[in-house]
Amino acid sequence: MLHCKHLLSPSSFKRKVVAVATPNNLTSINHRPLLLPKLPGFLSMDDVTRSQPFPLASTAAKASQNKTIDPQPKYEGKKIKGRVVLMKKNVLDLNDLTASVFDRVGELVGKAVSLQFISSVNGDPENGSPGKVGKPAYLENWITTITPLTAGDSAFDITFDWDEEIGVPGAFIIRNDHHSEFYLKTLTLEDVPGEGQIHFVCNSWVYPADKYKKDRIFFANKTYLSSDTPKPLQKFREEELLNLRGDDDDKTRELQEWDRVYDYAYYNDLGNPDKGQEYARPVLGGSSEFPYPRRGRTGRPPTETDPNTESQLKLIMSLNIYVPRDERFGPLKLSDLLAYGLKTIPQVLKPELAALLVGSHNEFNNMQEVLMLYEGGIELPDGILKYIRDSIHEELFKELFRTDGGKFLKFPVPQVIQDNKSAWRTDEEFAREMLAGVNPVAIRRLQEFPPASKLDQKAYGDQTSQITKEHIEHNLKGLSIDEAIKNNKLFILDHHDALMPYLRRINTTSTKTYSSRTLLFLENDGTLKPLAIELSLPHPDGDQFGCISKVYTPSSQGVESSIWQLAKAYVNVNDSGHHQLISHWLKTHAVIEPFVIAANRQLSVLHPIHKLLHPHFRETMNANAIAREVLTNAGGIIEETVFPAKFSMEWSSVMYKNWVFPEQALPVDLIKRGMAVEDPKSSHSVRLLIEDYPYAADGLEIWSAIKTWVKEYCSFYYKNDEMVQNDSELQSWWKELREEGHGDKKDEPWWPKMQTCEELIESCTIIIWLSSAYHAAINYGQYSIGGYVPNRPTISLHFMPEEGTPEYEELKTNPDKAFLKTFTPQLQTLLGMASIEILSRHPVDELYLGQRGTPEWTTDADMLQAFEDFRKKLEGIEKRIIKMNKDEKLKNRVGPAKIPYTLLYPSSEPGLTGKGIPNSVNI
C-alpha cells in the first residue's frame, strides 16, 4: 500500500485524475509494485486510460482534442517511437529547491509533459488549423528518471500513434504541465513512414504552460526560405516570429524570465540618479549627441528621480537581469562566473573594507609587492575574513580562497612575466604589442609628417603634432623622413584626436593623463622601434587655442630613462582605455547585440541565415546585460579601473559616430589603416606592409576561411540576386537592423542594400568575423598581457613629474615607487586584474569556431560536408600558426617576453589559455 501523510482534495485540480502507477514504471523503494486503491472522488486506472488528454493552449491544439477519443480505436496502426533529450531543472537550484519534488507530484496527479505533431503535408481547414495537429503523446517514466544533482541530460521515451492524415511531422507542440521548467534539447523520431529518422533540434527552456499566452512550437530540422515553407507550417512559422517580437505585449510591463520577447531599448540603464546626482549618466542612443546601438528591452520601471532613466537591480540580483531565457548562460558557465566573479564584487573590495584591505596608502611600494599577488595573495585581517565568510555561501567562500586559508586574491602568473619579469620594460616589447597584443587594431602607417589632426580648428585650434625631424631623423637608418614615409617605414599609434575633446573633462576626475601620439620605425628585421612619444593637454586658456605638447624620446640612462618609461606607460593607459571601451566593448559587444535581436525577431529558426548566424550570437545578450549591471554602469568596475572614469561610456558613444559597418571587414580595415595594400596576386588579395604582423597574418587566414564557408553556404540557398531580393524575412531583418537596431545610423549611405548575393556573403562574413575571431583577438589575451598591470596600466593618477618638484626627486631616487604611485593604485589594480581574469577564461562548455552544439544542426548533407571542410581548414591554420611561432625570423610572434601569438589559434582547452576562437561574443 502507498501511505500518504496528506491527501490532496479533488477540488484542487481542474481534472480529477491521479496518475496511477503500473508495475512496469513505478516501484517502491524496495522495488515492489506500488498498489493504489480506488479512492472516493478519484479516478481508477480504467478511468484514466479512457479520459481525454489535458487541453492545450492553442486553438489548433484545442480543436484537435474536441474530438471524442474512442477507448478502443478502430485504427490499430503503427506506433512511432521517439526519444526526447532534456535537462531537468537542477535540484540544487538555489531559486527552487522543491522543483523536482513538485514535478513528481504533478506526474502523480496527471500533470505531465505532452507533445503533439503538426503535419508538414496536410492542413486541417475544418478546425481552422493550417497544419493538421495530432493526438497528444506523453513523456514516459518521468518519475523513475532520477533528476541529477548537477546539470545533466535525461532521456525519455515517447510513443506516438501513427496517423496517416498527419503524414510527415514538420513541427510539434509541447505542453509542460509540471511545476518547473526544463531545457529541451532534442526530439528524435525513428522509422517515420516515408521519411525514416526525423530530428528536431530545440535547445530551449520550456516553462509551465500557464506562463505562456501561446503554445511552444518546435520545427523539424529542415531549412526553408520563407517562400519555400510547406503551406501547413507557414502560419506557425509566422506566429512564432510574432511571439518573439512581442508585438501584442505591453511595452511598459517588466519582462519576466519566462518571457520570450526580443525588443529594443536605449542605453538608459547605466546611471542611478536615485543614489545621487554623481551617479546620473546620459541616455546613450536616440540622439545625435549620443548615438549608440540598441540593447535588449527589460521593461524595468524608471527611477524615482529621472523618468528617462531605467532603474537598476540590486547587485546580488544582477545575474537575474532579463534577457530571453534561451540567451542566458548555461549552468556550467554560470557556475564559473559565480566562482570567479566573487573577486570583483564591490561590496567585498570597496568602501567600508578598502582601507583595511589595502591599507591607508592605497598603493604598492615596490614591484615585489605586485609580484606577491601571484606568489602569495593578500593576508586578510581576521575581521575581514569573518565578514566575507558570513556574507557568502560556504562553497563559494572555499573557491574564493582556494587552499590559501586567509590569503585573498592569489592570481595566476600572467604570461608576460612567466619567462622574464622585466622584458615588459623593453622598447621592443612595448612596440611588439601594437602588432601582437590585445589591441593590434589601432596602429596605422604614417603618411604625412608632422602628423596632422582632423579635429575642427574653429573649436580646437591647431592640433598639429609638435614632433619635429630633429626628434626622429637620427634614428631612421640614414633615411630622410620623406624617404621613410615613401618606403613604408614609419608608423603611428595615434590617441590624440579621439581623446583631446574629452581630456579636459576626464582630468576633472581622479585621472590625470594626456592625449598621445607614438611614432615608430620599421626595422629591417621586421620589428618596430619607438622613435618619439608626444603627450598633449588642452590649452589652459581654452580649447580654441589648441594644445600644449611635450615630446619624449628613448633613453636608457639616468632619470631620462625613468621619464621614458613613464611616457610609454601614459601611452599604454590610453591604449588600454581605447582597447576596453572601443575595440572591445563598442565594436563587438555593443554593435553585435542589434544583430542578435533583429535576427530573432525577423528570421525564423527554419531560415538558412538564422541557422548560419545563430551559433555566433550565443549568450551575447546575457553578457551585455550583466555588463550593464556591474561593469559599464555608473560606479561600476569600468569606471573604477579605466581612465575615462565616469565619462567612459559617453566617450564610447562619441566614438560610435565613426563606426562604419563595411569597414569592419578585416581586409578593408587593414587597407584603411595603411597596414596593407590591395594585391590580386597575394593569397588573400591584400599584401601586408609589415609582413610579420601576427594579428593581421593569422587574421587574414581566418577571415578567408570564414568567407569561403559563408560563400558556399549562402550559394547553396540563394542561386541568384533575385532570390535575395525576394526573401521577405531576410529583407525584414536587414531593414529592422538598420532602422531600429542601429537606428542612429539608419541614413548612412554605406549600409549594404542587401540586394545581391555578394552583399549577403560579405555582411554575414563580417558578422561572424566580429563575433568570433576579432573578439577572440581582442579579449582572450587580456590577462596574459594585462594581468601584470605595470605592463599595461589602465589609469594614471598624476601628471609627468616636473623638474624641481619632490615628485621629480623621487623619480630619480626611487623610480619604481614613482611609477607605481602614478599607474598602479592597489584597489583599482585588484579590481582590474580580477575582471580581466574572468573575461579571459574559457568555460568548460565553450564552443569554438568550426564547432556546433549538435552534429544534426541541418539536414542538408552538402552543408554538413562544407562545414566539415571549414573545420579541417581551421585545423590546418592551427598547424601553420604553430609553425610560424617557432620561426625565429618572425620576431614579433614571440618577442622579448616570450609570449607566442596564439590568440587566433582556433581551438583551446578550458581556462586561462591565451588562445581559442569561441563562436560568439560572450564572457
Side-chain angles (χ1 to χ4, degrees):
M1 298 290 290
L2 176 65
H3 296 280
C4 301
K5 187 174 182 181
H6 298 285
L7 288 176
L8 301 176
S9 168
S11 63
S12 64
F13 303 105
K14 294 181 180 178
R15 186 177 298 275
K16 296 183 286 185
V17 174
V18 75
V20 182
T22 67
N24 292 327
N25 69 3
L26 180 61
T27 58
S28 64
I29 294 174
N30 61 5
H31 304 290
R32 288 181 300 179
L34 294 175
L35 303 177
L36 298 181
K38 176 80 180 280
L39 299 177
F42 288 86
L43 301 183
S44 69
M45 185 60 157
D46 291 338
D47 296 325
V48 172
T49 57
R50 288 194 297 268
S51 67
Q52 294 182 17
F54 292 101
L56 299 184
S58 75
T59 303
K62 288 177 180 176
S64 72
Q65 294 185 53
N66 288 333
K67 298 179 180 180
T68 303
I69 298 176
D70 190 336
Q72 295 181 336
K74 297 175 183 177
Y75 178 73
E76 295 290 339
K78 180 180 174 61
K79 303 286 186 181
I80 301 295
K81 294 289 186 181
R83 170 153 288 206
V84 171
V85 177
L86 58 80
M87 185 172 65
K88 291 186 181 183
K89 188 173 184 181
N90 190 339
V91 299
L92 291 184
D93 190 324
L94 298 179
N95 292 323
D96 193 349
L97 296 175
T98 60
S100 180
V101 174
F102 272 115
D103 288 347
R104 291 172 185 237
V105 171
E107 286 279 325
L108 285 170
V109 295
K111 291 179 177 286
V113 176
S114 62
L115 283 73
Q116 289 177 277
F117 287 153
I118 300 174
S119 174
S120 66
V121 293
N122 294 317
D124 190 9
E126 184 180 328
N127 289 300
S129 174
K132 188 172 181 60
V133 178
K135 299 174 184 178
Y138 297 87
L139 296 192
E140 300 165 10
N141 301 331
W142 183 283
I143 295 177
T144 55
T145 302
I146 302 300
T147 303
L149 291 179
T150 56
D153 293 348
S154 300
F156 297 88
D157 292 331
I158 188 166
T159 304
F160 296 88
D161 289 329
W162 173 245
D163 184 348
E164 289 186 351
E165 292 185 4
I166 294 293
V168 179
F172 68 86
I173 297 168
I174 186 167
R175 180 180 175 91
N176 175 12
D177 280 308
H178 282 169
H179 170 78
S180 56
E181 69 273 21
F182 54 80
Y183 186 71
L184 181 62
K185 290 194 168 184
T186 59
L187 165 64
T188 303
L189 303 177
E190 302 292 348
D191 198 21
V192 177
E195 194 74 12
Q197 187 184 81
I198 298 180
H199 201 69
F200 296 77
V201 177
C202 307
N203 291 330
S204 181
W205 285 95
V206 178
Y207 276 78
D210 61 1
K211 300 295 186 185
Y212 297 125
K213 295 180 181 178
K214 304 286 186 180
D215 288 332
R216 290 304 313 275
I217 296 176
F218 294 94
F219 295 94
N221 203 20
K222 302 282 188 179
T223 305
Y224 301 109
L225 296 178
S226 48
S227 59
D228 296 334
T229 310
K231 191 172 181 180
L233 298 178
Q234 186 68 50
K235 187 176 179 181
F236 291 103
R237 177 173 180 155
E238 293 169 358
E239 287 182 348
E240 177 69 356
L241 287 174
L242 285 172
N243 293 341
L244 294 172
R245 288 198 288 270
D247 290 348
D248 61 348
D249 192 59
D250 179 2
K251 301 290 185 181
T252 64
R253 179 178 70 88
E254 183 170 358
L255 295 169
Q256 304 300 315
E257 65 173 275
W258 52 82
D259 285 315
R260 303 174 61 234
V261 174
Y262 292 81
D263 203 358
Y264 302 98
Y266 299 136
Y267 275 71
N268 65 342
D269 60 344
L270 301 175
N272 189 2
D274 290 349
K275 194 175 177 181
Q277 199 55 35
E278 67 272 25
Y279 289 96
R281 296 292 181 269
V283 174
L284 304 185
S287 69
S288 57
E289 183 180 10
F290 297 121
Y292 220 61
R294 304 299 186 257
R295 63 168 176 92
R297 176 170 72 89
T298 67
R300 293 202 306 272
T303 60
E304 296 178 5
T305 308
D306 180 7
N308 294 319
T309 298
E310 185 172 286
S311 58
Q312 295 183 341
L313 296 173
K314 293 181 179 179
L315 178 67
I316 196 170
M317 298 296 293
S318 59
L319 290 178
N320 290 329
I321 184 172
Y322 173 78
V323 292
R325 182 65 193 269
D326 291 345
E327 303 296 333
R328 295 188 69 171
F329 296 147
L332 290 174
K333 175 171 284 189
L334 193 59
S335 176
D336 286 349
L337 189 65
L338 284 170
Y340 294 107
L342 277 174
K343 293 181 177 181
T344 66
I345 291 179
Q347 277 80 346
V348 174
L349 295 176
K350 289 199 293 188
E352 64 270 25
L353 299 179
L356 286 173
L357 178 59
V358 301
S360 59
H361 54 278
N362 191 28
E363 63 192 40
F364 295 99
N365 289 306
N366 51 61
M367 294 294 180
Q368 186 56 39
E369 287 190 3
V370 180
L371 293 174
M372 281 300 296
L373 293 174
Y374 318 105
E375 296 170 2
I378 295 176
E379 190 80 39
L380 285 187
D382 290 340
I384 292 185
L385 200 61
K386 184 178 186 303
Y387 177 92
I388 297 174
R389 184 187 292 274
D390 293 344
S391 300
I392 63 177
H393 193 275
E394 182 178 357
E395 290 302 315
L396 298 180
F397 178 87
K398 291 177 181 177
E399 170 60 35
L400 183 62
F401 290 90
R402 296 174 184 167
T403 58
D404 305 318
K407 292 297 181 84
F408 184 60
L409 299 176
K410 180 181 178 182
F411 290 90
V413 180
Q415 277 184 288
V416 73
I417 57 169
Q418 282 181 6
D419 186 79
N420 186 326
K421 289 183 172 59
S422 60
W424 64 274
R425 296 180 186 264
T426 64
D427 287 357
E428 184 180 341
E429 182 62 24
F430 168 71
R432 188 194 76 90
E433 289 180 13
M434 300 178 197
L435 301 173
V438 291
N439 197 34
V441 295
I443 189 173
R444 61 179 174 85
R445 180 164 53 92
L446 187 68
Q447 301 183 54
E448 59 182 349
F449 188 87
S453 170
K454 294 181 179 179
L455 293 175
D456 182 0
Q457 282 207 13
K458 291 182 179 179
Y460 297 103
D462 185 6
Q463 296 281 339
T464 304
S465 174
Q466 300 301 303
I467 300 174
T468 65
K469 68 177 184 178
E470 287 76 20
H471 288 123
I472 66 171
E473 204 161 51
H474 60 285
N475 280 323
L476 299 183
K477 300 293 177 70
L479 298 174
S480 68
I481 291 177
D482 288 342
E483 290 171 333
I485 290 176
K486 184 178 180 180
N487 291 324
N488 302 321
K489 288 285 192 177
L490 289 179
F491 294 83
I492 184 171
L493 183 67
D494 192 343
H495 292 307
H496 182 91
D497 282 7
L499 279 176
M500 184 56 68
Y502 263 77
L503 201 53
R504 197 182 299 275
R505 278 173 283 179
I506 289 171
N507 283 338
T508 63
T509 69
S510 59
T511 294
K512 299 294 179 282
T513 194
Y514 306 86
S515 63
S516 62
R517 293 181 176 109
T518 305
L519 263 57
L520 306 107
F521 179 73
L522 180 62
E523 299 274 21
N524 292 332
D525 64 0
T527 61
L528 289 173
K529 176 182 180 180
L531 298 172
I533 292 173
E534 179 183 28
L535 301 180
S536 305
L537 289 170
H539 198 284
D541 296 332
D543 290 348
Q544 69 273 24
F545 295 102
C547 61
I548 53 173
S549 302
K550 191 167 183 179
V551 178
Y552 301 88
T553 55
S555 177
S556 58
Q557 301 295 324
V559 70
E560 288 79 12
S561 173
S562 300
I563 290 173
W564 176 243
Q565 289 292 334
L566 291 182
K568 290 192 293 183
Y570 284 113
V571 171
N572 277 334
V573 167
N574 289 347
D575 198 57
S576 293
H578 180 274
H579 160 259
Q580 199 64 271
L581 292 166
I582 313 304
S583 302
H584 183 199
W585 168 259
L586 175 65
K587 292 188 175 182
T588 62
H589 288 264
V591 303
I592 287 295
E593 186 162 358
F595 289 90
V596 180
I597 299 171
N600 281 281
R601 286 168 55 87
Q602 299 295 343
L603 296 176
S604 165
V605 294
L606 294 166
H607 197 283
I609 300 305
H610 186 284
K611 289 183 185 291
L612 173 68
L613 297 180
H614 185 259
H616 306 289
F617 295 156
R618 181 181 185 234
E619 299 175 347
T620 298
M621 289 185 71
N622 202 178
N624 290 1
I626 292 174
R628 296 196 310 273
E629 292 294 305
V630 298
L631 290 175
T632 62
N633 59 309
I637 291 170
I638 291 293
E639 290 193 358
E640 290 283 337
T641 61
V642 180
F643 78 89
K646 69 178 184 179
F647 299 104
S648 292
M649 290 294 283
E650 187 177 324
W651 181 51
S652 75
S653 167
V654 173
M655 292 298 99
Y656 176 61
K657 294 178 181 180
N658 301 323
W659 182 80
V660 177
F661 176 72
E663 292 178 358
Q664 308 313 301
L666 178 60
V668 177
D669 170 63
L670 292 171
I671 291 170
K672 181 187 177 185
R673 290 190 286 118
M675 303 301 290
V677 293
E678 292 187 47
D679 183 358
K681 296 179 181 179
S682 296
S683 56
H684 308 294
S685 299
V686 295
R687 177 169 54 85
L688 294 176
L689 297 180
I690 300 180
E691 184 180 348
D692 185 14
Y693 183 0
Y695 162 75
D698 296 357
L700 285 171
E701 294 273 353
I702 300 292
W703 168 270
S704 295
I706 293 172
K707 188 162 187 178
T708 299
W709 152 239
V710 171
K711 184 175 182 178
E712 192 163 352
Y713 183 88
C714 291
S715 299
F716 183 79
Y717 297 103
Y718 297 90
K719 305 302 182 185
N720 51 56
D721 294 344
E722 188 177 7
M723 293 183 71
V724 173
Q725 297 161 16
N726 293 336
D727 186 341
S728 58
E729 286 186 7
L730 181 71
Q731 294 302 323
S732 295
W733 169 58
W734 198 247
K735 183 177 188 291
E736 182 173 289
L737 170 72
R738 298 191 326 271
E739 296 181 0
E740 298 290 338
H742 283 280
D744 297 330
K745 287 183 169 287
K746 64 183 178 182
D747 296 323
E748 296 286 0
W750 41 254
W751 280 109
K753 306 301 182 187
M754 202 54 72
Q755 296 295 297
T756 68
C757 293
E758 184 52 43
E759 286 179 321
L760 174 62
I761 292 165
E762 182 76 358
S763 297
C764 289
T765 303
I766 291 173
I767 294 167
I768 295 173
W769 163 258
L770 290 178
S771 301
S772 59
Y774 175 86
H775 179 258
I778 297 297
N779 182 67
Y780 290 99
Q782 289 193 77
Y783 192 80
S784 299
I785 293 171
Y788 185 64
V789 177
N791 177 56
R792 198 159 176 82
T794 60
I795 51 178
S796 55
L797 300 181
H798 307 283
F799 290 122
M800 184 75 79
E802 297 288 341
E803 195 168 358
T805 64
E807 290 78 14
Y808 192 85
E809 292 303 311
E810 183 177 53
L811 188 63
K812 289 197 294 186
T813 59
N814 194 343
D816 279 355
K817 185 171 184 180
F819 182 100
L820 293 170
K821 184 184 294 185
T822 300
F823 298 109
T824 319
Q826 202 174 87
L827 179 58
Q828 286 90 335
T829 294
L830 296 177
L831 279 170
M833 288 168 59
S835 300
I836 63 174
E837 182 190 354
I838 294 172
L839 293 175
S840 302
R841 283 185 176 275
H842 293 300
V844 174
D845 61 348
E846 192 79 270
L847 288 174
Y848 298 93
L849 194 63
Q851 296 179 348
R852 290 267 177 160
T854 173
E856 302 91 355
W857 63 273
T858 181
T859 56
D860 294 321
D862 289 348
M863 292 303 91
L864 289 174
Q865 184 57 53
F867 190 69
E868 176 64 13
D869 294 342
F870 175 50
R871 186 189 65 79
K872 289 180 178 178
K873 187 173 290 187
L874 293 174
E875 288 181 351
I877 292 172
E878 287 186 354
K879 294 175 182 177
R880 287 195 291 276
I881 290 173
I882 293 172
K883 184 178 180 180
M884 286 189 291
N885 284 345
K886 293 178 180 178
D887 188 343
E888 294 182 358
K889 294 179 181 178
L890 301 176
K891 296 182 179 297
N892 294 326
R893 297 203 69 92
V894 176
K898 299 293 188 289
I899 309 176
Y901 189 75
T902 56
L903 293 177
L904 287 173
Y905 190 93
S907 66
S908 177
E909 307 79 39
L912 277 174
T913 64
K915 63 180 181 179
I917 303 176
N919 272 325
S920 60
V921 176
N922 57 53
I923 54 176

